[in-house]
């Protein structure tokens, strides 16, 4: 999901976090002193996210690995940002901002489900923010309009390498967490419009 254009006066990260923790209503994201309202997701968005969360959770059972869908906050310290990625995962020690354990600092994988309104942001400005997380090794983009899973891997030289998967028979290896995603499972129960399937 993506921040919308509505902006409020600049505030500190700490003030934003205090507001988020106190709010029972809508969530917002924070980037360098500005707060952005978040839009909701479609049924397909939530179903895809649930499918990925289920598949990773099963593979992580009995291992020191964690996957979080939607509700966990992320702090990007090097960009003065607070975000709610669609999906975050890691293996090993979880590092949190404080004792509340609701603000993760060190995901190794982040995933976003794309939509018409979020795709440009998720590919551009948002990915630029995520790349500033030292622990991040993989970035996953998943289309909800057609079969397309894109995985970006950070190489040893710091460059990001793209691999695309457009067949339901494909397997997406997620090396940073020692898991794999069957594309058919990612899109389980998802029905595409006829014209979208061609795209």
């Amino acid at each position: 999901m993506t921040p919308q254009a509505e902006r409020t006066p600049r505030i500190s990260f700490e003030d934003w976090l205090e507001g988020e923790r106190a709010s029972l209503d809508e969530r917002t994201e924070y980037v360098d002193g500005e707060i952005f309202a978040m839009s909701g997701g479609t049924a397909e968005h939530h179903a895809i996210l649930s499918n990925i969360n289920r598949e990773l959770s099963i593979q992580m059972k009995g291992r020191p690995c964690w996957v979080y869908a939607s509700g966990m906050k992320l702090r990007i310290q090097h960009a003065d940002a607070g975000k709610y990625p669609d999906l975050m995962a890691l293996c090993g020690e979880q590092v949190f901002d404080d004792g509340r354990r609701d603000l993760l600092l060190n995901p190794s994988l982040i995933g976003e489900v794309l939509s018409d309104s979020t795709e440009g942001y998720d590919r551009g400005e948002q990915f630029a923010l995520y790349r500033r997380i030292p622990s991040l090794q993989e970035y996953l983009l998943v289309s909800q309009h057609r079969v397309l899973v894109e995985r970006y891997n950070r190489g040893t030289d710091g460059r990001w390498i793209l691999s695309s998967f457009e067949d339901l028979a494909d397997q997406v290896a997620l090396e940073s967490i020692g898991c794999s995603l069957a594309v058919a499972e990612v899109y389980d129960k998802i029905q595409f419009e006829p014209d979208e399937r061609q795209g």
Side-chain angles (χ1 to χ4, degrees):
M1 290 182 232
T2 185
Q4 298 301 299
E6 179 182 328
R7 301 184 179 208
T8 58
R10 295 177 67 84
I11 68 166
S12 70
F13 180 87
E14 290 72 23
D15 287 343
W16 168 80
L17 181 59
E18 182 180 351
E20 284 299 292
R21 286 174 168 171
S23 176
L24 298 177
D25 299 320
E26 63 185 38
R27 296 180 304 183
T28 63
E29 293 190 331
Y30 175 92
V31 179
D32 193 24
E34 293 184 295
I35 296 176
F36 300 87
M38 294 182 66
S39 60
T42 64
E44 291 76 19
H45 179 283
H46 292 291
I48 289 169
L49 200 53
S50 294
N51 289 343
I52 296 172
N53 189 49
R54 177 193 68 227
E55 293 302 303
L56 295 183
S57 295
I58 290 170
Q59 294 176 58
M60 289 176 169
K61 189 173 181 179
R63 300 169 54 210
C65 300
W66 293 267
V67 58
Y68 299 107
S70 288
M72 177 66 78
K73 292 182 282 294
L74 166 70
R75 181 170 189 180
I76 308 172
Q77 293 173 304
H78 298 291
D80 190 26
K83 309 288 287 179
Y84 284 93
D86 285 340
L87 187 96
M88 293 189 287
L90 74 151
C91 292
E93 181 185 3
Q94 302 173 93
V95 180
F96 295 98
D97 188 64
D98 60 25
R100 292 285 293 270
R101 296 175 61 83
D102 63 347
L103 188 59
L104 189 67
L105 300 178
N106 69 325
S108 57
L109 177 141
I110 292 177
E112 297 286 356
V113 178
L114 302 174
S115 67
D116 292 340
S117 63
T118 69
E119 183 167 353
Y121 179 75
D122 288 336
R123 292 184 182 282
E125 185 178 345
Q126 178 130 286
F127 189 22
L129 289 172
Y130 289 161
R131 289 197 302 267
R132 299 185 70 178
I133 304 169
S135 63
L136 189 67
Q137 297 299 312
E138 293 179 295
Y139 184 45
L140 203 64
L141 295 174
V142 183
S143 173
Q144 62 177 303
H145 297 305
R146 66 186 181 108
V147 175
L148 176 62
V149 178
E150 296 170 285
R151 181 196 63 211
Y152 289 87
N153 284 79
R154 192 197 301 259
T156 55
D157 60 357
R159 295 183 183 181
W160 289 85
I161 301 166
L162 169 63
S163 301
S164 296
F165 304 87
E166 301 181 60
D167 192 302
L168 289 173
D170 287 340
Q171 293 278 336
V172 183
L174 302 173
E175 298 174 3
S176 70
I177 54 173
C179 296
S180 65
L181 281 176
V183 174
E185 296 297 336
V186 171
Y187 290 104
D188 180 41
K189 299 182 182 177
I190 302 299
Q191 296 184 347
F192 300 105
E193 295 296 328
D195 58 330
E196 290 177 339
R197 205 177 302 132
Q198 302 301 322

